[in-house]
Amino acid sequence: MSTPELKSLKFALLLNEDKQEASKLLQAAENEGFFYLDFATSSEGERILKIVEDISALQEVLFNETEEEKLRYDIDKLDSLKLNGYKPKGRNVTGINGKRDGFESWTLPKDGVLEKTSFVHPPVVDEHIDTLRLFMRSMQDVTHVVHQSLSRSLSLTTPGKRLEDYHRASHPSPCILRLLKYHASVLSNSSPPQTAHTDLGSLTALFTQQPGLQVRLGDGDSATWTYINPRPGCAVFNIGDGVAMLTGNRLRSALHRVMPMPGQAMRERYSFAYLQRAEADMLMRPLFEGDTTGEEKIAAGQVLTSEQWLRKKFSALRAKSYNEKTSTILTGREGLVNL
């Protein structure tokens, strides 16, 4: 089992625009696409960690609802963009011997929680709405700090063409909080409960106290699946497809999945993640000054908006079978089938 360490960054230092910490962030974004973000070294970070505890309590309540109650909020019936609702176990393809996924999820929309739009939800969500609003606002603030740091490091200086300009907190966007429950299985049936994939959005902040996350590090024949262990006081952040597109793939959207630990059956596992996406109408094109790739693809009708990419990725996730085409969309790479 390969267990190299990811870079660990201190949120307080990034917030203060520390140059050494900014350099570490850029290296992690370019090379691994994953990093730890340590919130335990500042008062603002400690406040965020307290909110995270409260979200964990809400997660347990939501997943303990009856199946009948949960299916009243079926995400495929409520929202074509999959921004709100419940997904039962087994709805997504995994690419492993034709099996389906092994997790259920609740998705809550940032814009709905912050009252920019209405959204249908269980009554228990109203009981925790203040916590949810604090969480959404905090994650927008944190991701803004990360985007600003990366924009500076990448010398993105043109107004309107910096990463943070595509992710304005005051504007509507398809960002979500996703709560996840992975089901236990017997050892003989411990195939991956989740297909290998890249995240379709810009940045993901994952919170969990349980192991099982694997990241595919390296390239080509030297690439290996690496277990990423949780750390107290930290979130695991990763670069998504959106930021990779906006930086001409200079920043890495890494493949990842959830797996049983070696020699063990899949254990029940809880996690939740804030998935930040660019504003829906933003064109996903390189932001570098003088880059003409975007213009060429726009002229050819090949550049997608953030919303169009979201729809394309989810069509692959909900596919009835797993093939070369859906694999390329899910993994961002050609030739990786049945990972």
Side-chain angles (χ1 to χ4, degrees):
M1 178 176 63
S2 179
T3 56
E5 291 290 313
L6 295 182
K7 291 180 176 62
S8 182
L9 306 170
K10 289 181 169 55
F11 175 64
L13 293 179
L14 289 179
L15 186 62
N16 291 327
E17 301 184 13
D18 181 89
K19 291 184 178 180
Q20 185 174 352
E21 207 72 358
S23 177
K24 285 172 58 180
L25 170 60
L26 180 62
Q27 291 173 28
E30 289 179 326
N31 298 324
E32 296 85 21
F34 271 75
F35 55 91
Y36 293 105
L37 191 59
D38 186 351
F39 291 109
T41 56
S42 70
S43 57
E44 175 61 17
E46 291 290 352
R47 186 185 69 83
I48 290 170
L49 293 175
K50 177 60 175 69
I51 298 170
V52 166
E53 290 180 9
D54 294 340
I55 297 293
S56 296
L58 168 62
Q59 178 170 279
E60 289 189 28
V61 174
L62 278 171
F63 283 118
N64 284 334
E65 296 278 8
T66 66
E67 193 69 11
E68 180 182 7
E69 175 67 9
K70 287 185 284 192
L71 287 173
R72 289 181 58 199
Y73 305 95
D74 189 322
I75 194 168
D76 287 343
K77 296 178 181 178
L78 288 183
D79 192 338
S80 63
L81 283 176
K82 320 299 183 192
L83 302 182
N84 178 45
Y86 170 75
K87 183 203 80 71
K89 174 176 172 272
R91 187 163 287 179
N92 291 344
V93 67
T94 68
I96 305 296
N97 301 322
K99 292 186 178 182
R100 310 299 287 184
D101 70 75
F103 68 94
E104 52 185 312
S105 68
W106 279 98
T107 299
L108 297 171
K110 184 260 298 179
D111 287 350
V113 169
L114 297 182
E115 299 182 293
K116 296 180 185 294
T117 61
S118 60
F119 73 111
V120 179
H121 54 273
V124 68
V125 170
D126 287 324
E127 298 171 18
H128 294 79
I129 198 68
D130 289 340
T131 294
L132 288 166
R133 286 172 183 157
L134 285 172
F135 180 79
M136 298 292 190
R137 292 188 181 109
S138 295
M139 289 300 100
Q140 283 295 111
D141 291 343
V142 170
T143 53
H144 182 78
V145 170
V146 173
H147 285 310
Q148 278 192 321
S149 179
L150 288 171
S151 290
R152 284 192 295 268
S153 295
L154 293 168
S155 299
L156 297 175
T157 58
T158 304
K161 296 189 70 174
R162 293 168 58 87
L163 291 173
E164 60 269 27
D165 296 328
Y166 276 54
H167 307 87
R168 295 168 294 182
S170 59
H171 287 63
S173 61
C175 306
I176 59 170
L177 165 62
R178 179 170 292 146
L179 312 171
L180 295 151
K181 177 183 177 180
Y182 295 87
H183 286 241
S185 65
V186 297
L187 185 59
S188 61
N189 193 38
S190 284
S191 59
Q194 182 188 57
T195 191
H197 65 285
T198 55
D199 285 347
L200 62 85
S202 298
L203 290 173
T204 298
L206 175 71
F207 298 89
T208 185
Q209 297 179 5
Q210 297 169 275
L213 173 66
Q214 276 192 333
V215 179
R216 192 169 176 86
L217 298 179
D219 296 296
D221 294 339
S222 64
T224 58
W225 282 110
T226 301
Y227 282 96
I228 305 300
N229 293 320
R231 283 188 180 180
C234 296
V236 177
F237 267 68
N238 66 276
I239 302 298
D241 298 338
V243 163
M245 292 175 180
L246 292 173
T247 60
N249 289 316
R250 177 169 172 182
L251 303 188
R252 184 184 187 92
S253 183
L255 277 169
H256 56 283
R257 64 187 182 186
V258 169
M259 285 283 287
M261 298 302 288
Q264 299 180 20
M266 185 66 202
R267 298 179 180 178
E268 187 173 84
R269 180 181 187 271
Y270 290 88
S271 65
F272 61 89
Y274 185 72
L275 293 101
Q276 191 198 45
R277 287 95 176 250
E279 296 160 38
D281 59 349
M282 291 293 192
L283 286 172
M284 307 309 290
R285 54 183 289 188
L287 298 179
F288 295 111
E289 196 68 36
D291 191 302
T292 60
T293 307
E295 283 78 2
E296 293 170 359
K297 289 188 175 182
I298 288 171
Q302 297 175 351
V303 174
L304 301 179
T305 65
S306 173
E307 179 177 322
Q308 288 170 333
W309 173 243
L310 190 156
R311 291 183 185 277
K312 186 173 183 178
K313 191 93 167 186
F314 262 108
S315 70
L317 279 168
R318 292 291 196 267
K320 293 183 179 180
S321 61
Y322 195 84
N323 54 39
E324 193 74 30
K325 182 178 180 180
T326 54
S327 171
T328 300
I329 295 170
L330 287 172
T331 67
R333 297 150 176 82
E334 294 183 354
L336 295 181
V337 180
N338 287 335
L339 280 176

